Amino acid sequence: MKILFIFCGIALILYVVYKVYRFQTLDNGLPELLKKGVVILDVRTEKEYETGHIQGSVNISLGTIRERYTELDPQKTYITVCSHGLRSVKAENILKERGFKHIYNGGAWTDLQQTIHP
């Protein structure tokens, strides 16, 4: 039972950190990024992407991002999205490690879609 409480506490902390991070890095500047032609990078699997996605987004799964990142232009601005926000954080970090400077975590694609198209 004690382990369950610890796990729930950690999950809650991670969720709060994610929401604060997203608010500080994306929500405040989203309209400006959209005007500048930001690319939405959906890092879910192809099957997940086919079930629904943001129109115009690019799909490169997290499992292939280390090989396929060369298909992306490091000069462009990208917002990574996935189903819940965890894979998009990983993809953001991988791309930053490879020299991409303008990468933002958009979290869950459905949340970002609601923000873009209320």
Side-chain angles (χ1 to χ4, degrees):
M1 188 66 150
K2 186 176 181 180
I3 293 175
L4 179 63
F5 285 123
I6 292 171
F7 179 75
C8 289
I10 291 171
L12 179 63
I13 290 169
L14 289 174
Y15 178 77
V16 169
V17 167
Y18 161 72
K19 285 297 186 181
V20 168
Y21 171 79
R22 183 158 183 247
F23 177 76
Q24 290 179 342
T25 60
L26 183 60
D27 288 347
N28 289 337
L30 185 59
E32 291 79 27
L33 290 174
L34 292 171
K35 287 177 189 173
K36 293 179 182 179
V38 68
V39 177
I40 298 170
L41 180 61
D42 193 321
V43 297
R44 297 176 297 149
T45 65
E46 287 182 24
K47 281 189 173 191
E48 289 175 296
Y49 185 80
E50 290 171 4
T51 64
H53 57 272
I54 297 172
Q55 186 175 3
S57 62
V58 174
N59 179 229
I60 298 179
S61 71
L62 179 62
T64 63
I65 197 88
R66 285 184 173 87
E67 295 83 31
R68 295 185 58 198
Y69 78 94
T70 56
E71 298 172 25
L72 304 173
D73 181 353
Q75 302 305 314
K76 289 188 177 181
T77 301
Y78 295 92
I79 297 175
T80 58
V81 296
C82 63
S83 57
H84 299 291
L86 297 175
R87 287 178 281 179
S88 60
V89 170
K90 289 179 184 178
E92 175 190 20
N93 290 331
I94 289 168
L95 292 173
K96 284 181 177 178
E97 289 171 359
R98 282 157 177 75
F100 286 75
K101 303 280 187 229
H102 311 289
I103 305 291
Y104 300 90
N105 175 29
W109 76 272
T110 51
D111 292 344
L112 184 61
Q113 184 175 39
Q114 288 176 356
T115 302
I116 295 170
H117 306 291

